[in-house]
Amino acid sequence: MHALSRRPGRAGRLPVRAAALAMACGVLAAGPQPAAAAAAQGGQAVQRQLPIPLVRGRLNASQLGLVVNAADPLSLRIGEMYARARGLRPEQVLRVELPSTPRIPLADARRLRERIDAAFGPRIQAVALAWSQPYAVDCQSLTAVLTLGHQSGLCEDGCRPSRPSPYFNARTSMPWRDLGLRPTMLLAARDPALARALIERGLRSDGALRQVGAPRAQAYFVATDDPLRNVRAALYPAPRQLERPPLEIRVEAAGRMAPPDNAILYQTGAAQVEGLAQVKWLPGALADHLTSGGGRLEGGVQMSALRWLEAGATASYGSVSEPCNHLQKFPHPQALLGHYLQGATAIEAYWKSVAWPQQGVFIGEPLAAPFAAP
């Protein structure tokens, strides 16, 4: 970790420095919050003030592998659009055949992982899957099983701690080279129009908030009255303004806030999130809600994480099975914002924000990077 000076400027603003340096010295430390959230973790340690390492570089299109399901016409269409939009070479695209069902057997997932490892050489550091189904392997997410492997015994009690991810808050920008894993994300959409809009948002986001004249982005951390799902509020960073890049960190109360404007990040805890149609999103926005079944992408009694993408966000995360409210099983607010502000891509920032990702699925346009340097 980098130990840098921490001196606020006038009017509580940070001095004009790169925001990445501010991340490393703890600018995003949690504000004063009730201690009740820590008790919900069953004695498991949670870092309320998480130092963010300074990371050099980020993933780019030449380091991404794309997998399409040849048995799914929508997957083929999404894959074609994405490969063209990001300029992927033919050797970066792998065609497989899988059932288009929410969950697939472990044997199918293991064969898919073997195909990915055989097809992609050492240059490929991360993987995008061009579909919204399948997203799970028994109680575990497909993105976790392909990235970290299957964890035996977890499905007997999904509320137990799952294996820690070596990629959590990691300093590297080369996960396959340095850690032997390829973070995986679903390029998920219900139809071609939604897929095209998602891909276009990712493309428009690249470096947009590092340009001269960029709008002041807003990062919203929203507390709710739901005691089981609001536990992450203990990790919300304190409200403040950054000057480079221009960003305001806001901690709000659900039901008492104006519709979010210029939103680049939105985190809350609720089974259903109201008012998504009123949110004004910036390209590259990240958004998720802490609840038991947000990763069940076909929907159900709780809001699917796909709703965030359909509302205008560019990436999200949700649990595919009951995880209980372990904070480690959901994106850590300080890690997510801290890595994204340094210029990381959406797939890097999201994967680096979850300590125990075995039951969570990552979805969105993986290469979106609004804070990346030109």
Side-chain angles (χ1 to χ4, degrees):
M1 307 301 171
H2 292 252
L4 303 176
S5 62
R6 180 184 174 190
R7 293 185 300 166
R10 290 182 296 175
R13 295 174 182 262
L14 294 180
V16 180
R17 294 179 63 96
L21 302 182
M23 298 309 107
C25 65
V27 162
L28 294 184
Q33 297 286 348
Q41 298 312 297
Q44 299 296 323
V46 178
Q47 285 187 265
R48 289 194 54 196
Q49 296 189 359
L50 183 70
I52 309 300
L54 186 60
V55 181
R56 302 289 184 185
R58 63 182 172 93
L59 293 174
N60 61 59
S62 71
Q63 298 168 316
L64 184 74
L66 176 66
V67 183
V68 299
N69 185 358
D72 178 359
L74 177 57
S75 176
L76 288 169
R77 182 78 179 275
I78 294 172
E80 179 185 5
M81 287 190 291
Y82 193 64
R84 183 170 60 250
R86 286 294 185 182
L88 304 186
R89 304 182 306 276
E91 59 268 27
Q92 290 178 255
V93 182
L94 171 64
R95 292 167 63 103
V96 300
E97 291 194 5
L98 290 169
S100 298
T101 56
R103 299 171 192 270
I104 58 172
L106 177 57
D108 286 354
R110 284 175 169 161
R111 282 192 290 271
L112 176 58
R113 191 181 188 195
E114 290 170 357
R115 292 281 308 277
I116 289 172
D117 288 345
F120 298 138
R123 183 175 182 81
I124 299 301
Q125 301 293 312
V127 174
L129 309 177
W131 62 72
S132 57
Q133 293 187 6
Y135 60 77
V137 182
D138 53 56
C139 76
Q140 300 171 44
S141 77
L142 182 60
T143 55
V145 170
L146 294 180
T147 303
L148 303 174
H150 184 267
Q151 181 175 342
S152 62
L154 180 60
C155 297
E156 297 169 5
D157 179 9
C159 286
R160 64 189 288 190
S162 55
R163 69 159 63 109
S165 168
Y167 197 41
F168 173 68
N169 201 31
R171 188 185 299 272
T172 181
S173 62
M174 300 284 283
W176 178 251
R177 183 195 68 186
D178 296 339
L179 301 174
L181 58 85
R182 292 186 176 100
T184 304
M185 177 173 274
L186 297 185
L187 187 62
R190 299 182 199 269
D191 61 51
L194 290 170
R196 183 179 300 107
L198 174 64
I199 293 168
E200 289 175 353
R201 288 196 297 274
L203 289 170
R204 292 200 312 273
S205 79
D206 293 348
L209 296 181
R210 289 287 297 273
Q211 296 178 2
V212 175
R216 180 172 293 279
Q218 309 281 340
Y220 290 86
F221 299 93
V222 182
T224 71
D225 295 328
D226 186 333
L228 294 178
R229 299 174 178 86
N230 192 49
V231 293
R232 191 166 51 173
L235 304 180
Y236 288 170
R240 71 167 52 231
Q241 292 189 29
L242 307 180
E243 294 189 3
R244 285 190 180 176
L247 174 79
E248 182 176 4
I249 299 172
R250 303 175 64 123
V251 179
E252 303 278 3
R256 295 188 289 277
M257 57 185 285
D261 188 29
N262 282 350
I264 195 63
L265 193 149
Y266 188 128
Q267 287 190 306
T268 190
Q272 300 285 342
V273 182
E274 305 298 330
L276 292 186
Q278 284 71 53
V279 179
K280 295 181 180 178
W281 303 96
L282 290 176
L286 311 180
D288 60 78
H289 58 306
L290 191 155
T291 192
S292 298
R296 296 169 185 163
L297 301 183
E298 77 276 20
V301 296
Q302 297 182 346
M303 190 180 96
S304 164
L306 269 178
R307 288 281 308 281
W308 291 107
L309 303 190
E310 292 167 356
T314 305
S316 187
Y317 173 92
S319 55
V320 304
S321 64
E322 177 56 68
C324 291
N325 59 355
H326 290 290
L327 293 179
Q328 298 95 327
K329 293 185 179 183
F330 295 90
H332 193 301
Q334 298 162 49
L336 183 62
L337 180 58
H339 284 282
Y340 212 36
L341 276 174
Q342 289 192 51
T345 60
I347 190 171
E348 292 171 287
Y350 253 128
W351 261 97
K352 290 182 179 183
S353 75
V354 185
W356 301 346
Q358 207 67 36
Q359 292 166 267
V361 63
F362 299 87
I363 64 173
E365 202 285 275
L367 294 177
F371 296 103

